[in-house]
Amino acid sequence: MGTGRRHLIVVSNRGPVTYAREDDERVARRGAGGLVTALRGLVAHHDVTWIASAMSDEDRVVAAEGVVEESLGNGSTVRLRLVAHDEVAYDWFYNVVSNPMLWFLQHYLWELAYTPTVDIALKHAWTDGYVRVNEGFAEAVAEELEAEPETPVFFHDYHLYLAPRLVRERAPDALLAHFVHIPWPQPDYWHVLPEGMRLAVHDGLLANDVIAFHADRWRINFLRSARDLAGAECNFVDYVADYHGRRSVVSVHPISVDPVEFEELAQSEAVLAAERDLVERRPEQLILRVDRTDPSKNIVRGFRAFELYLEAHEDAHGRVAMIALLDPSRQDIPEYSEYLAAIQREARRVNDRFQHNGWMPVEIVMEDNFPAAVAAYKQFDVLFVNAIFDGMNLVSKEAPLVNERDGVIVLSENAGAFEELGDWVVCVNPFDVAGQAEALDRALSMPAAERRQRIEAIRAHVREHDIVAWIEGQLEDLDRCSAHIT
Ligand code: F6P
């Protein structure tokens, strides 16, 4: 395939922009989430056709116009093809199957004695929602491939497990790659799903030439479940899975960020203004967390751990506080709105117990405000990431890049980022709240020289393993596959 600019097809549920109509004019807003941010880097270096779901009413109008050229503001342009799914089908796809089922399964979020119940409603949502939306995506990809059969296709994430098989049936020689951005659980956990569903997930993924993960831990689990559930012949040394006469390469490419973009952003007017605001009210020592309000992020236990820390360290009262910048997420799903309420309840409880003389231990800021997050990245003394499970966790890579206080990263052993950053962080078990309280103490009282040495090592690692390295690694996989096929 050679180096230089390439034509690529990217397929993800969320697109790089979403459209709205304001004062009778169409406006494009940046799509939310870490995946979209990372993939925008791909668009800067290659000619990308991006296929995504139409989410807003205006997106549907755009979808009806066919492929549109959209500028992404960083000098790059994407060919955007929005797919307008049936609205009821999309609701089942996103709000019943993708998030409460697949996301919960892959992050081990159920309490199996009580949830989930696989009932007729879920089965309908699967057939008339998840399957249909995947068919819609596959149709759009197949049409693009008819015009340019050689173009490699990059599927992203758990929304699209069925699409690769459907595309493969129509374009047997297509070059297909799939990046799974979330953890892959152990094989037995997949047995919560009825056989037809769990097999369809694995069968769909195994239609790809490349299947990639952020961490080796997820790759090994995938190879095990491809073997145990789908009967694929898996090689755990060369990391390949042979299935129905085809070979899939199973690779690991930890996603990263663009360090230059963050360093520039840190000096932007919007961030400096947010930072001035934060500096005025910051405590002597600031513990920061930045999360979507997702049960996998373990925010409630995080507050409990901080409570235990405050219980044991009266000298910290009035001096140490936690700021939680929380982005409300997936609020049409009851499990998510209930979790958001639990977060607020828990913060309130800790504050009611300890606050005095104007000092409040926990401040929750509930908004999607990237400049405010970057300002807080500059100011933290401890960054607290205690996720139950997390495919990667980009916050733990972004924040150290711009931090100006030699802050310490407290990181869950179950975040994909731990595989890379483990030597330089304070490790926590996400369920052990007493251990998290001790970790907070250790981080808050770490000697200056050790703090500096740790954060500099993290920065050097992220600068070397940046977003360009992530993208190049995937293209190299594709080159290996196309060399093998031709
Ligand atoms: O990695 C999982 C992911 O899909 C990310 O791409 C994204 O940041 C996040 O989940 C947000 O999900 P949603 O698109 O449901 O808001």
Side-chain angles (χ1 to χ4, degrees):
M1 231 187 281
T3 52
R5 288 187 86 83
R6 307 172 184 205
H7 186 196
L8 308 166
I9 297 173
V10 166
V11 198
S12 66
N13 176 45
R14 235 176 239 285
V17 292
T18 184
Y19 296 95
R21 189 149 279 276
E22 281 173 9
D23 300 329
D24 223 27
E25 289 211 4
R26 176 176 294 166
V27 288
R29 293 219 182 81
R30 188 180 171 138
L35 184 150
V36 162
T37 306
L39 292 180
R40 287 167 74 102
L42 184 73
V43 175
H45 296 98
H46 300 280
D47 299 324
V48 173
T49 297
W50 196 324
I51 301 174
S53 293
M55 305 238 174
S56 64
D57 290 343
E58 192 62 17
D59 282 357
R60 295 178 165 274
V61 179
V62 173
E65 290 167 13
V67 175
V68 294
E69 296 268 331
E70 183 57 60
S71 150
L72 295 189
N74 50 357
S76 51
T77 308
V78 66
R79 280 182 83 239
L80 181 62
R81 179 173 178 147
L82 293 179
V83 184
H85 310 287
D86 174 85
E87 287 187 51
V88 175
Y90 187 81
D91 178 50
W92 279 329
F93 158 84
Y94 187 83
N95 290 321
V96 180
V97 177
S98 298
N99 292 310
M101 193 176 87
L102 294 173
W103 179 279
F104 266 54
L105 192 156
Q106 292 193 238
H107 291 83
Y108 300 91
L109 294 179
W110 288 316
E111 292 179 85
L112 288 186
Y114 305 100
T115 57
T117 298
V118 178
D119 54 13
I120 287 287
L122 179 67
K123 289 183 180 174
H124 275 154
W126 174 268
T127 321
D128 299 334
Y130 194 74
V131 174
R132 278 187 65 187
V133 169
N134 270 264
E135 283 169 353
F137 272 110
E139 176 69 33
V141 173
E143 278 174 21
E144 290 292 328
L145 284 175
E146 269 163 31
E148 282 193 59
E150 310 270 284
T151 313
V153 182
F154 283 89
F155 293 101
H156 286 273
D157 244 341
Y158 57 102
H159 311 91
L160 302 177
Y161 287 150
L162 309 184
R165 170 66 57 208
L166 300 168
V167 172
R168 177 67 70 212
E169 281 163 4
R170 291 179 53 175
D173 299 326
L175 205 48
L176 307 181
H178 204 128
F179 209 107
V180 180
H181 292 265
I182 63 177
W184 198 269
Q186 286 160 12
D188 276 348
Y189 208 58
W190 282 102
H191 280 264
V192 175
L193 289 190
E195 189 180 9
M197 292 184 197
R198 63 179 191 252
L199 195 57
V201 165
H202 289 79
D203 177 76
L205 270 175
L206 288 163
N208 290 288
D209 298 293
V210 181
I211 305 154
F213 297 90
H214 291 313
D216 195 46
R217 189 171 176 186
W218 318 140
R219 159 164 73 181
I220 295 295
N221 283 345
F222 174 75
L223 284 166
R224 286 187 186 132
S225 70
R227 179 192 63 195
D228 296 354
L229 305 182
E233 210 170 288
C234 294
N235 179 320
F236 291 78
V237 177
D238 298 330
Y239 304 114
V240 292
D242 291 324
Y243 178 73
H244 290 185
R246 287 196 68 87
R247 168 159 292 189
S248 303
V249 171
V250 185
S251 61
V252 173
H253 298 293
I255 198 168
S256 193
V257 296
D258 178 353
V260 176
E261 186 190 332
F262 270 89
E263 280 148 20
E264 284 172 6
L265 208 57
Q267 300 313 320
S268 68
E269 206 24 69
V271 170
L272 292 173
E275 194 182 3
R276 282 192 291 275
D277 182 50
L278 177 60
V279 166
E280 264 175 33
R281 66 194 162 89
R282 57 156 296 142
E284 191 182 315
Q285 285 191 296
L286 168 61
I287 303 171
L288 173 70
R289 64 177 309 143
V290 180
D291 296 291
R292 283 184 308 103
T293 55
D294 192 296
S296 68
K297 304 296 181 185
N298 210 17
I299 301 162
V300 172
R301 278 200 197 84
F303 292 158
R304 241 170 242 162
F306 187 44
E307 177 186 23
L308 291 182
Y309 166 82
L310 290 174
E311 218 171 77
H313 298 272
E314 216 169 308
D315 56 311
H317 297 195
R319 280 197 320 104
V320 180
M322 179 182 282
I323 295 187
L325 303 184
L326 303 179
D327 176 10
S329 182
R330 305 176 186 166
Q331 289 301 299
D332 289 338
I333 300 169
E335 287 85 341
Y336 280 80
S337 46
E338 283 156 17
Y339 192 66
L340 200 152
I343 290 170
Q344 285 166 322
R345 245 192 332 267
E346 199 63 16
R348 168 93 214 207
R349 203 182 55 71
V350 176
N351 284 337
D352 284 348
R353 179 167 174 201
F354 291 107
Q355 76 181 80
H356 65 83
N357 295 343
W359 168 70
M360 200 162 62
V362 178
E363 181 188 345
I364 291 185
V365 183
M366 199 71 80
E367 61 179 355
D368 177 11
N369 183 342
F370 198 50
V374 177
Y377 286 171
K378 293 169 83 176
Q379 286 289 324
F380 72 83
D381 297 288
V382 174
L383 180 78
F384 191 25
V385 180
N386 66 332
I388 288 176
F389 278 95
D390 207 335
M392 168 54 75
N393 193 278
L394 277 178
V395 169
S396 64
K397 289 189 172 182
E398 293 168 354
L401 279 177
V402 295
N403 182 259
E404 293 179 353
R405 296 175 62 89
D406 292 338
V408 180
I409 317 301
V410 173
L411 182 60
S412 165
E413 60 182 343
N414 291 341
F418 190 79
E419 238 171 53
E420 291 175 86
L421 309 182
D423 284 348
W424 311 301
V425 300
V426 175
C427 170
V428 283
N429 173 297
F431 307 99
D432 178 0
V433 282
Q436 288 167 47
E438 281 162 22
L440 289 177
D441 178 37
R442 195 176 151 214
L444 286 164
S445 54
M446 189 177 281
E450 188 180 348
R451 286 193 276 126
R452 170 154 300 184
Q453 179 242 323
R454 284 174 183 245
I455 198 165
E456 280 183 352
I458 294 175
R459 271 188 210 124
H461 178 90
V462 177
R463 286 192 188 122
E464 190 183 339
H465 303 272
D466 64 359
I467 192 67
V468 175
W470 181 67
I471 292 165
E472 291 304 318
Q474 292 171 76
L475 294 174
E476 281 163 21
D477 281 349
L478 280 186
D479 283 348
R480 272 206 300 278
C481 289
S482 60
H484 174 76
I485 292 165
T486 49

